[in-house]
Amino acid sequence: MQLFPNFIESMESELIREAKALAGQQFSDKAFANYHFHNLEHTREVAAAAEEIGRQSSLTAEELELAVVAAWLHDIGYKQGPENHEENSIKAAANLFQRLGTPVGQINLINNAILSTKMPQHPKSMVDKVVCDADLFHLSDESYEEKATLLRSEWTAIKGKQISDDEWVAHNLEFMQNHHYNTPYGQAVLEEGKQKNMKRLKKSLEPEVSKKKYKKLQEEVEKLQSKLEKAKTQKPDRGIETMFRTTSHNHVMLSQMVDSKASILITINSIILSLIVSVLIRKLEENPYLTYPTVLLISVCLATMVFSILASRPNISSGKFTKEDIKGKKTNLLFFGNFHGMDYQDYEWGMKEMMKDAEYLYSSMIKDIYYLGKVLGKKYRHLRIAYSIFMYGFVLAILSFIVAFQLTAK
């Protein structure tokens, strides 16, 4: 369930963007593999709730910004474990504040808000109260049972302790009974939703309902765990995605540089040849001693242009593949040369097959980068030869003109 869908569009200060980016970076770490509840999705919902509750609580623009920042950062300390994660969250955010030059007063408000979420909660300022209510917003939400299932799965994975259905319900009821919202909005609106969820929990303790109810919950836990495991195998980590993106971008930039340099050489030598044809060749009958220097200069220009053209000349393959190629993982569909001759339906099928297989997808990315590198190597070899011919040949041609003039003068 997506909370407050207009949140992202409504607030995007630099401090919020940087806090959001830091949270995304921290939660992408493998240390969060077993945190089925305290993850980026939970943090995103808390940040959205903090903005909504903050607006309803008449926070100033600055206070609202700091509350949202604290919401984005309040759980990143789970990377070091659940114990004292609030203090660890503050430590993890210290470099961010230093880099942005955040005023000390604002840092203190954010840190206090993060510390106030420690159980049992003890908020002091209104910013603290907003963040605390946002952190436990899910207690009042319609998706509470789904969130509780995720938290139970997380406890089992982290603590290695199996909790019976009745024990889990009793624990949640006790927690909700001892909890109270701190803001007027939380007491007037969120408390009503929490009371409804408490009634559902109490009803689930009835003997006839409990067995069916928590058998269904257990099935949901297994489904969620299965989805999490599947997502791990199918979706690349952010670091790997960044590596592929950066490497591909660098290869493309290098290829553009080769084409640009080759184009410059072709243009320069075309101008030189035009001048030779239009001016110098006409005077060879009167000045035959210039024949050999002229031929040498023309040869240098032509050779330079040939290798420049070779450096920038594209190679295009047949652009077709078969279903056997896809099933055998032999075709790289990320390169246009392998599919430009295919129908859209066949290409779409091939791409979907590749996306189903993480190993095939990674292999295609690696293959794409490898062959880009091979093409770049060939381009740069031809370009280097072109530059060498132009540099040494042009100097030699000029020297030959000078020698020819000197010999004629004698």
Side-chain angles (χ1 to χ4, degrees):
M1 178 179 180
Q2 184 179 6
L3 304 175
F4 315 119
N6 294 325
F7 166 69
I8 299 298
E9 291 78 3
S10 57
M11 289 193 67
E12 275 292 342
S13 69
E14 181 183 10
L15 185 56
I16 291 177
R17 286 196 299 272
E18 292 292 335
K20 177 182 174 182
L22 177 59
Q25 178 184 356
Q26 293 287 317
F27 284 114
S28 66
D29 193 277
K30 293 181 180 179
F32 286 91
N34 292 323
Y35 287 98
H36 304 154
F37 176 78
H38 292 100
N39 51 28
L40 183 60
E41 181 63 25
H42 166 70
T43 301
R44 186 181 291 113
E45 293 179 354
V46 172
E51 188 197 14
E52 176 65 14
I53 298 170
R55 292 188 187 280
Q56 297 296 333
S57 302
S58 300
L59 292 184
T60 65
E62 180 183 3
E63 290 173 337
L64 183 59
E65 179 189 30
L66 300 180
V68 174
V69 171
W72 277 112
L73 302 176
H74 80 291
D75 275 347
I76 60 176
Y78 268 96
K79 184 176 179 180
Q80 282 74 42
E83 294 297 326
N84 299 318
H85 70 271
E86 295 87 359
E87 289 81 359
N88 290 330
S89 296
I90 291 173
K91 292 178 183 177
N95 290 335
L96 169 66
F97 297 141
Q98 183 179 6
R99 176 167 56 83
L100 295 179
T102 307
V104 175
Q106 292 185 353
I107 295 174
N108 290 335
L109 282 173
I110 293 170
N111 290 345
N112 289 337
I114 293 174
L115 288 174
S116 69
T117 61
K118 192 169 188 175
M119 299 299 171
Q121 294 177 340
H122 293 294
K124 296 180 181 179
S125 69
M126 183 54 71
V127 173
D128 297 352
K129 293 177 181 179
V130 167
V131 176
C132 286
D133 285 6
D135 191 24
L136 295 176
F137 172 87
H138 67 280
L139 299 180
S140 67
D141 195 56
E142 294 177 357
S143 63
Y144 170 73
E145 290 185 5
E146 178 184 341
K147 299 296 190 299
T149 301
L150 290 171
L151 183 59
R152 183 182 182 183
S153 175
E154 177 178 304
W155 281 22
T156 302
I158 300 298
K159 300 180 180 180
K161 181 181 178 182
Q162 296 294 331
I163 307 172
S164 68
D165 295 339
D166 289 342
E167 286 176 343
W168 179 247
V169 175
H171 170 79
N172 279 270
L173 274 174
E174 181 182 5
F175 180 85
M176 295 171 79
Q177 287 169 350
N178 294 328
H179 165 265
H180 64 277
Y181 286 108
N182 302 281
T183 62
Y185 177 82
Q187 295 165 0
V189 179
L190 302 183
E191 183 64 27
E192 181 180 353
K194 187 182 78 172
Q195 292 298 326
K196 291 180 180 178
N197 287 326
M198 289 176 65
K199 288 181 180 179
R200 295 191 188 99
L201 286 177
K202 290 177 181 178
K203 188 175 181 180
S204 69
L205 286 176
E206 297 176 8
E208 297 177 357
V209 178
S210 179
K211 188 174 180 180
K212 295 180 180 179
K213 186 76 173 178
Y214 282 92
K215 184 178 180 181
K216 182 179 180 181
L217 283 175
Q218 186 62 34
E219 291 175 353
E220 291 178 358
V221 170
E222 292 174 358
K223 287 180 181 179
L224 287 168
Q225 289 177 335
S226 177
K227 287 181 180 179
L228 289 169
E229 291 298 325
K230 187 176 180 181
K232 288 179 190 177
T233 58
Q234 288 188 345
K235 293 184 179 180
D237 293 334
R238 172 172 290 188
I240 297 174
E241 290 178 346
T242 303
M243 178 196 71
F244 280 119
R245 188 184 307 114
T246 303
T247 306
S248 297
H249 175 73
N250 290 341
H251 279 60
V252 171
M253 291 297 294
L254 288 170
S255 182
Q256 291 175 349
M257 288 173 61
V258 171
D259 295 339
S260 177
K261 291 177 183 293
S263 177
I264 291 172
L265 280 179
I266 293 170
T267 302
I268 291 173
N269 284 276
S270 297
I271 293 172
I272 294 173
L273 285 175
S274 298
L275 291 173
I276 292 172
V277 171
S278 61
V279 178
L280 195 56
I281 290 181
R282 296 178 181 179
K283 298 184 179 182
L284 289 181
E285 292 183 1
E286 301 174 5
N287 305 283
Y289 59 89
L290 295 179
T291 301
Y292 290 112
T294 302
V295 170
L296 177 59
L297 184 57
I298 291 174
S299 300
V300 169
C301 292
L302 288 175
T304 301
M305 290 179 67
V306 167
F307 279 98
S308 298
I309 292 170
L310 288 174
S312 58
R313 185 179 64 173
N315 292 323
I316 301 179
S317 57
S318 62
K320 293 186 178 182
F321 61 86
T322 63
K323 290 189 176 181
E324 288 70 23
D325 293 333
I326 300 298
K327 293 176 181 178
K329 304 177 183 179
K330 298 178 181 178
T331 298
N332 173 23
L333 295 181
L334 302 180
F335 176 59
F336 81 97
N338 294 329
F339 63 79
H340 68 84
M342 300 297 295
D343 293 333
Y344 172 74
Q345 292 78 8
D346 294 328
Y347 175 68
E348 182 183 26
W349 174 85
M351 284 294 289
K352 288 180 178 179
E353 288 296 312
M354 184 178 69
M355 289 187 291
K356 291 178 184 177
D357 190 336
E359 182 181 352
Y360 186 17
L361 179 60
Y362 278 133
S363 177
S364 296
M365 289 180 177
I366 294 170
K367 192 178 296 182
D368 188 54
I369 291 174
Y370 173 77
Y371 284 110
L372 276 174
K374 295 285 284 185
V375 171
L376 274 178
K378 184 178 179 181
K379 281 175 171 282
Y380 271 92
R381 280 195 300 274
H382 286 141
L383 185 65
R384 181 178 177 82
I385 294 172
Y387 267 97
S388 298
I389 292 173
F390 183 70
M391 180 176 65
Y392 295 114
F394 195 75
V395 171
L396 186 60
I398 296 300
L399 290 175
S400 66
F401 273 104
I402 294 173
V403 171
F405 281 118
Q406 290 293 330
L407 292 175
T408 304
K410 292 180 181 180

